[in-house]
Amino acid sequence: MKRMLILSALTGVLTLTGCTTLNNVFGNDDSGMHDVQATNKNTAPVASKNGMLVDASNHMTLYTFDKDGMNKSECGSACLIAWPAFMAPSNAKASGQFAAFQREDGKYQWAVNGKPLYFYANDTKVCDKDGDNKLGVWHIVKTK
């Protein structure tokens, strides 16, 4: 009975966060935080690929969340399982429309024009954009 309650709760969390499979949920890194190495100037390690914003090292798609405020993430610990934050070093330098902000947990996250940036756990290949318009509130960042 206890196992069934735990599975039911997990299913509910995954449904609410928009995660449709357990792929990448139970791996080595379940913190919801994905560190990407910054450039030597500690500026946002991003690139444009296929008309959308991606991280510069793995070319994985970056997303924004409509419920976030300016330099404030509304994606909590359960949400971060499906939507890992695009983390920044504490000494990150603002550059153009990119800057880092300090999250409530004390860590730093990259933002574009004040909107926090995230990955989608179900994106498994370069430039996948399976999270675009998920639940009507998650969106890719267009670069063209």
Side-chain angles (χ1 to χ4, degrees):
M1 182 66 164
K2 186 176 181 181
R3 180 176 271 180
M4 186 177 286
L5 287 173
I6 291 171
L7 287 174
S8 294
L10 179 60
T11 301
V13 167
L14 294 174
T15 301
L16 290 174
T17 62
C19 185
T20 57
T21 72
L22 293 178
N23 188 26
N24 292 329
V25 173
F26 297 109
N28 293 332
D29 180 10
D30 63 357
S31 67
M33 306 297 174
H34 288 256
D35 291 322
V36 174
Q37 297 301 315
T39 63
N40 59 1
K41 296 179 184 176
N42 289 327
T43 57
V46 296
S48 176
K49 192 163 182 87
N50 297 335
M52 62 187 171
L53 191 66
V54 298
D55 74 278
S57 56
N58 298 319
H59 299 283
M60 297 303 288
T61 305
L62 293 166
Y63 297 87
T64 58
F65 182 39
D66 287 349
K67 296 180 181 181
D68 284 344
M70 286 294 288
N71 295 315
K72 176 145 178 43
S73 173
E74 295 297 333
C75 186
S77 58
C79 171
L80 288 171
I81 293 170
W83 301 95
F86 184 35
M87 302 308 294
S90 60
N91 63 345
K93 294 179 177 34
S95 176
Q97 58 191 354
F98 299 98
F101 69 96
Q102 190 170 19
R103 298 174 48 84
E104 288 183 13
D105 60 13
K107 296 180 180 177
Y108 290 83
Q109 181 175 352
W110 286 112
V112 59
N113 297 321
K115 292 292 283 183
L117 292 169
Y118 304 88
F119 297 99
Y120 182 48
N122 285 346
D123 285 349
T124 58
K125 298 184 307 284
V126 169
C127 292
D128 274 358
K129 55 181 180 178
D130 296 333
D132 192 27
N133 206 32
K134 193 74 154 175
L135 303 174
V137 294
W138 292 95
H139 307 285
I140 63 169
V141 180
K142 295 180 182 176
T143 57
K144 288 185 181 180

